[in-house]
Amino acid sequence: MGSVSRWAVDRPWSAVGVWLLMAATLVVLAVSLGGSYNNSFSLPDTESTRAQTLLEEIPGASDAFTVATATVVWSPDAGEVTEPEVSEPVTALLTTIADVPGVACVVTPYGPPMGTGCPEQLAGADQAGADQAGAGQAGAEDVPAEGAGDSAAPDAADLPAMSPETARVLAGLGPAGFSVDGRVGFATITFGADLGDLDSADAEAVVDAVAAANGVDGLRVGASGQALDYAGQQPPSSEAIGIVVALIILLFTFGSLVGAFLPVFSAVLSLGVAQALVLIVAKFLDVATFAPTLAAMIGLGVGIDYALFVMNRYKQALDAGREPRAAAHEAVRTSGRAVVFAAATVVIALLGLFVTGIAFFNGLGAAASLTVVMMMLGATLLLPAVLSLLGRRAFAIRMPWARRARPGQPGGAAFARYGLWLERRYRVVGALALVALVVVALPVGALRLGFTDDGGRSEETPQRIAYDLRSEGFGPGINGPFVVAVETAAPGDNASVQQLAVAIGQDPGVAAAIAFPMAPDASVTAMQVVPTSPPQDAATTELLDRLREDVIPAATASGAVVAYVGGTQAITSDFTSVIRGTLPLFLSVVIGLGFLALVLLFRSVLVPLTGVITSLLSLGAVMGVTVAVFQWGWLANVVGITGTGPIQPFLPIMVFAILFGLSMDYHVFLVSRMQEEWGHTGDNRTAVRRGLAASGRVVATAAAIMISVFAAFMLGDDSTIKLFGLALATAVLFDAFVVRLVIVPSLMYELRRANWWLPRWLGRLLPKVVVESEEEVALVEAEIADVPDAAGAPGARL
């Protein structure tokens, strides 16, 4: 990129034109080829995958799994749902929803289905609630079963009497119905498209109609379903808060309105193009619905930081007396190279997600890494061209607090004094910082992984209202049933399937086990197992383990049937197991490549080793905070968390990939100046102190900006984005301000000359890579000239 950046400085209008042409091309491709987002998982060689594969053999099941559906749930403040005061406004609401262009059918318990796309077999759906309530241990919901009732079923005398809990759960199954106590009703919406093709406007129309009805006429109304996740996928408006805070920080950093605006300008324009790239990636890979927001979070953070590093070096060169174009060349030759190297480390870490073999991670890794690449291009192609065009006007409209720097004095005496202060007491300060991080990391021992559900949303959202109402009316397990795929040795052997349902239903953690009847020539069916506990409860995970390890193996020992447990909670368990299995390879690849890159850059063994080990320390502290807030509920009100539960299983590995790349960024920007000073003076203490003086301020500023951007995303309603916002904000806080500015310098003071040791044979093999050139040493001389070293005079050698 060095030659490209120099060309951008020398031919700024051409560079701007090329960048705009590239941006326009990507936007056009995104519009014409862009795919759709989905939260699908592909977990090879797991029981949940085997269950899914088996269920797809049921006629019509594939359509049931992919069609976009949602559930509307309601309850009056007083009275029952069958009263006219309730049925009339709810029927009006469902009629409004049925009129949404993308809605094919609405199945209501108050009468015949509404809509032009309702299947003929739903003509009698107004009796669904009553029929299901008397269905015993058999029922029908999403998975169709042709010829139901044609094959032999067990005698009623062989089945246990239906418990009140089972009757309560059965009332909540099917396309529409009422709770046993008459307090809760529900209806099913079927859209005219699959999840992958659903128009978000249709989902938004349903959510808006439900939200408008909630609280009117004494009704609580909510709606849930993956289809409604497509409503409002745009990045949250809270990102504007992060941008405003970043602008304020930049105003104090540069003392110029234009200077503060340019890094944000570069990042925002680049992010717009990056979002087009993410949409293109979704055409070829599975990209999660929250990926655009996550990409925006990462993109804004690194984009502003990368531009800041280039702008800061440009300003230093101007303050040192360089002409504007020469200053721009110096900025891209030094900080520009550092930005490219830093972006490469982030991309390597993110692409390391591909080694997990999980398609979900592939999409996230590709989307995030391409976003980082686009941010890097903005800082090394677009920004240098703009700086070349503006010249000294890049720092126009000066603020009252801005001071004019004298040539050779770019500022940084505060961090020079800090470096001296740390040098005199680095053992105590470094030990205290280390102990603090270990203490913060202690909650990680209680980490419990699991997917969030609607129970973790804000209490005012339609999804949370529906979740709570379904729990009240039909039991907490109704929101997260297991789906058991059953295959019989003999076609139509419903008796064996029912015996398995009875065995499963006898577990104290099971509220109901409902088997779907098979046709005489069929050998595959499904069974819903509804727990007595909520989806996120630890008891539900324990039930899954008992079903897989004890109950089902004992019940299928005869060989008459085989059964595999699937469903969301089963996928969570399998997802966690797959991650644990691939984690050693992932860590080896990411940490190994990062270590080798740092060895190549610093021509040292201990400096890279310090960098990678301390990044693991930062991760531990981050996960400790995440567990304390999202799992234990500490400071939940401050963060805006309305429900606690397990941590998303993909969070630790995603956060480490992002954190490792960002921590190596700060390590490079900080230690590269120390390396430069070591080569110039041969004095380790002077090198560390001068490195802090020259780079500490910009690293602290960059970290503050990134924290503000990440923290702003915590203000939205999406629990997954809140989780990432908190994790990444605390990651940067700990890694930049505690690890890079305290622990790493303390270790380098302690290790002395050993920091820069490299075996001679390895030194001969490695090519020389330089991020900062020696000609810039003069820029920091004045910063420390007035600050004595620990011996009272500069240059004391070790």
Side-chain angles (χ1 to χ4, degrees), residues 665-687:
D665 283 5
Y666 295 132
H667 204 69
V668 168
F669 283 112
L670 185 65
V671 181
S672 60
R673 182 54 67 90
M674 296 178 183
Q675 179 195 34
E676 177 188 324
E677 291 294 338
W678 166 255
H680 181 64
T681 66
D683 184 284
N684 182 70
R685 286 183 178 244
T686 299

Side-chain angles (χ1 to χ4, degrees), residues 445-466:
L447 175 66
R448 187 163 62 92
L449 299 178
F451 286 104
T452 59
D453 55 24
D454 290 338
R457 295 179 183 264
S458 174
E459 293 181 354
E460 297 79 20
T461 61
Q463 291 90 340
R464 175 62 182 274
I465 293 172

Side-chain angles (χ1 to χ4, degrees), residues 355-615:
V355 305
T356 64
I358 300 175
F360 179 82
F361 280 143
N362 295 347
L364 286 177
S369 59
L370 287 174
T371 298
V372 172
V373 170
M374 188 54 59
M375 297 300 109
M376 181 268 292
L377 289 175
T380 57
L381 175 61
L382 179 62
L383 182 61
V386 172
L387 292 178
S388 181
L389 290 171
L390 292 179
R392 297 187 185 276
R393 289 173 296 174
F395 298 99
I397 314 180
R398 298 177 65 81
M399 297 293 102
W401 55 81
R403 295 181 299 174
R404 292 191 177 277
R406 297 191 301 269
Q409 289 186 322
F415 270 92
R417 288 190 292 270
Y418 166 71
L420 176 60
W421 176 86
L422 183 63
E423 180 183 354
R424 290 170 172 167
R425 49 187 65 81
Y426 65 87
R427 286 175 179 158
V428 174
V429 176
L432 289 175
L434 181 61
V435 170
L437 286 186
V438 171
V439 171
V440 173
L442 289 178
V444 77
L447 175 66
R448 187 163 62 92
L449 299 178
F451 286 104
T452 59
D453 55 24
D454 290 338
R457 295 179 183 264
S458 174
E459 293 181 354
E460 297 79 20
T461 61
Q463 291 90 340
R464 175 62 182 274
I465 293 172
Y467 180 94
D468 291 341
L469 290 179
R470 282 173 64 83
S471 295
E472 293 172 12
F474 311 105
I478 197 71
N479 286 299
F482 297 119
V483 180
V484 180
V486 184
E487 184 174 20
T488 59
D493 188 3
N494 280 307
S496 296
V497 175
Q498 293 294 344
Q499 290 171 4
L500 175 62
V502 171
I504 292 175
Q506 290 174 347
D507 188 284
V510 174
I514 304 98
F516 302 104
M518 293 184 296
D521 59 345
S523 59
V524 177
T525 188
M527 180 189 305
Q528 277 202 335
V529 178
V530 182
T532 58
S533 52
Q536 303 297 346
D537 198 291
T540 303
T541 303
E542 294 170 0
L543 171 62
L544 173 64
D545 294 337
R546 289 198 304 273
L547 292 178
R548 284 180 165 178
E549 298 171 8
D550 301 322
V551 177
I552 291 179
T556 59
S558 65
V561 297
V562 293
Y564 304 106
V565 183
T568 301
Q569 298 307 309
I571 292 174
T572 299
S573 177
D574 292 340
F575 192 90
T576 304
S577 299
V578 171
I579 289 178
R580 287 173 179 166
T582 60
L583 190 60
L585 177 60
F586 169 76
L587 293 177
S588 299
V589 170
V590 173
I591 294 177
L593 290 177
F595 176 78
L596 292 177
L598 293 181
V599 169
L600 180 65
L601 176 63
F602 293 120
R603 301 184 68 82
S604 163
V605 174
L606 288 182
V607 168
L609 190 61
T610 300
V612 298
I613 290 177
T614 52
S615 67

Side-chain angles (χ1 to χ4, degrees), residues 138 234 248 374 417 607 652 659 764 778:
Q234 297 82 9
I248 294 173
M374 188 54 59
R417 288 190 292 270
V607 168
L659 170 61
R764 289 192 296 267

Side-chain angles (χ1 to χ4, degrees), residues 71-74 107-109 171-178 184-188 470 474:
T71 302
V72 179
V73 192
W74 59 91
V107 181
T108 168
L173 300 177
F178 307 122
V184 180
F186 68 98
T188 298
R470 282 173 64 83
F474 311 105

Side-chain angles (χ1 to χ4, degrees), residues 45-316:
D45 301 324
T46 61
E47 182 167 338
S48 58
T49 298
R50 289 193 289 272
Q52 181 77 11
T53 301
L54 195 58
L55 291 173
E56 289 175 355
E57 296 181 11
I58 301 175
S62 296
D63 294 337
F65 291 136
T66 59
V67 70
T69 62
T71 302
V72 179
V73 192
W74 59 91
S75 177
D77 293 338
E80 297 186 359
V81 291
T82 54
E83 297 175 359
E85 293 81 2
V86 177
S87 62
E88 291 176 2
V90 171
T91 299
L93 167 64
L94 298 179
T95 301
T96 300
I97 293 174
D99 290 337
V100 173
V103 171
C105 183
V106 176
V107 181
T108 168
Y110 294 122
M114 306 175 183
T116 58
C118 296
E120 293 182 2
Q121 61 265 36
L122 291 178
D126 53 319
Q127 298 296 322
D131 292 345
Q132 188 130 29
Q137 292 290 311
E141 193 196 24
D142 289 332
V143 182
E146 295 183 357
D150 293 341
S151 56
D155 189 270
D158 297 331
L159 297 175
M162 185 185 301
S163 67
E165 183 67 21
T166 300
R168 183 187 183 198
V169 170
L170 283 171
L173 300 177
F178 307 122
S179 62
V180 173
D181 61 5
R183 296 283 300 138
V184 180
F186 68 98
T188 298
I189 304 168
T190 302
F191 292 88
D194 291 344
L195 282 170
D197 301 321
L198 179 64
D199 188 342
S200 62
D202 295 330
E204 290 171 2
V206 171
V207 171
D208 291 343
V210 170
N214 183 49
V216 178
D217 297 324
L219 282 175
R220 283 190 297 161
V221 184
S224 63
Q226 188 177 354
L228 302 188
D229 292 338
Y230 286 74
Q233 291 181 356
Q234 297 82 9
S237 58
S238 57
E239 66 184 352
I241 298 175
I243 293 176
V244 170
V245 175
L247 278 170
I248 294 173
I249 296 172
L250 291 169
L251 276 174
F252 281 95
T253 300
F254 293 129
S256 162
L257 184 60
V258 177
F261 173 76
L262 286 179
V264 176
F265 167 79
S266 171
V268 171
L269 284 184
S270 300
L271 178 61
V273 182
Q275 291 288 296
L277 271 175
V278 173
L279 193 57
I280 294 173
V281 170
K283 177 70 175 179
F284 305 99
L285 299 174
D286 289 330
V287 178
T289 54
F290 65 85
T293 305
L294 180 63
M297 184 190 306
I298 298 171
L300 281 177
V302 301
I304 295 175
D305 274 11
Y306 290 165
L308 167 65
F309 290 130
V310 174
M311 287 281 295
N312 184 69
R313 182 46 59 92
Y314 178 67
K315 187 175 186 298
Q316 286 183 353

Side-chain angles (χ1 to χ4, degrees), residues 330-343:
E330 184 174 310
V332 299
R333 186 175 64 250
T334 56
S335 289
R337 289 203 301 265
V339 164
V340 172
F341 187 89

